[in-house]
Amino acid sequence: MFQWIHKYGSPRYFYGFSRRLTPWLGAITALLLAVGTYWGLVVAPADYQQGDSYRIIFIHVPAAWMSMFVYMVMAVSGIITLVWRMKVAEAMMRASAPLGASFTFLALVTGSLWGKPMWGTYWVWDARLTSELILLFLYLGFIALQSAIEDRRTAARAGAVLALVGVVNIPIIHYSVEWWSTLHQGPTVTKFDAPSISMGMLIPLLIMATGFTLYFFTVAFKRVRVEILESEAGSSWVRELADEKGN
């Protein structure tokens, strides 16, 4: 396992690997998002209580899932950064933060748009909403910290500590609807017995969630390659790569 980590932790190897993989990820992402959007907005039946207004879940729920998933990617990358000092893990943290912040912001906005007709207000200081807002601040804090520290390696280690400290918020977001009295509806997909959602709604929701996940990796890998080129600008393999493109 450690050999695998060191292999993919090599900036040169990861750059080449992600460069070959990204076009395929992008194509699959576009297909999944197109199918999921059409199925969710056109084919899926209307909800018997909420009517067509529930269809915002096909954006809101995947965005909310991704807001937590991306932060866990950052936390795992933070552990690798602190333990093995790998530049690819540092780059992955920096590349993931803006994407995670975007997913979190999208989840908050779409949740507010859904909340207005359902709750009669765009915002309440609900446990789920408040903890999700804190997650957005954690992302923004990480981005600000990276900008405030000039040395990239020092900034990465500081960001790793912040990511690991903030990871305590993830289970709070996930279990908030069970731990406290909250307006936000309880889990419908991740229930242990059976999802309380029809298959006609569940399948496009899972397709959209998969599409969002692959979108993250597609964009993150591209951003990581930029980070690698900036950090490895003086290395021989980057100069060779620049010469190849120049010719």
Side-chain angles (χ1 to χ4, degrees):
M1 178 178 178
F2 291 112
Q3 292 179 348
W4 182 88
I5 291 176
H6 282 284
K7 178 181 179 180
Y8 286 89
S10 166
R12 182 174 186 175
Y13 186 89
F14 185 89
Y15 184 92
F17 166 77
S18 65
R19 189 179 181 185
R20 294 188 298 270
L21 183 63
T22 299
W24 293 97
L25 286 178
I28 298 172
T29 297
L31 177 62
L32 288 175
L33 292 179
V35 171
T37 300
Y38 179 78
W39 196 336
L41 298 184
V42 179
V43 178
D47 184 74
Y48 75 100
Q49 286 183 323
Q50 302 179 31
D52 287 324
S53 63
Y54 90 97
R55 297 184 191 276
I56 201 169
I57 71 166
F58 297 111
I59 301 296
H60 172 71
V61 172
W65 285 347
M66 290 306 299
S67 69
M68 294 182 284
F69 175 78
V70 174
Y71 199 87
M72 291 305 300
V73 170
M74 290 176 57
V76 172
S77 299
I79 293 174
I80 296 174
T81 295
L82 293 174
V83 176
W84 289 290
R85 306 289 179 89
M86 290 187 177
K87 292 182 179 180
V88 172
E90 298 174 6
M92 193 64 184
M93 281 195 302
R94 285 191 290 267
S96 298
L99 295 172
S102 299
F103 283 126
T104 307
F105 180 76
L106 181 60
L108 289 168
V109 170
T110 52
S112 296
L113 293 176
W114 177 85
K116 179 61 176 178
M118 295 299 108
W119 302 337
T121 180
Y122 289 110
W123 182 268
V124 292
W125 291 102
D126 178 272
R128 171 64 64 83
L129 275 66
T130 303
S131 54
E132 186 75 5
L133 180 62
I134 292 173
L135 182 61
L136 177 60
F137 291 152
L138 286 170
Y139 278 121
L140 297 179
F142 179 93
I143 295 171
L145 185 62
Q146 298 305 295
S147 301
I149 302 176
E150 290 188 14
D151 183 74
R152 298 172 69 91
R153 308 305 300 274
T154 302
R157 290 193 292 272
V161 173
L162 176 60
L164 291 175
V165 170
V167 81
V168 69
N169 190 47
I170 301 301
I172 294 175
I173 296 173
H174 182 72
Y175 292 108
S176 58
V177 293
E178 300 177 16
W179 291 346
W180 295 286
S181 176
T182 168
L183 286 176
H184 198 286
Q185 69 184 58
T188 56
V189 178
T190 57
K191 294 172 64 176
F192 286 111
D193 48 1
S196 55
I197 180 174
S198 72
M199 293 302 294
M201 300 175 182
L202 177 61
I203 293 175
L205 181 59
L206 294 178
I207 291 175
M208 289 295 287
T210 305
F212 270 53
T213 304
L214 294 184
Y215 171 82
F216 161 69
F217 282 110
T218 301
V219 179
F221 283 175
K222 288 186 176 182
R223 292 178 58 86
V224 168
R225 290 205 301 273
V226 174
E227 292 281 347
I228 288 174
L229 290 177
E230 291 179 353
S231 63
E232 297 287 297
S235 62
S236 59
W237 73 269
V238 173
R239 290 196 296 269
E240 292 173 3
L241 183 65
D243 292 339
E244 292 177 5
K245 289 187 175 182
N247 296 330

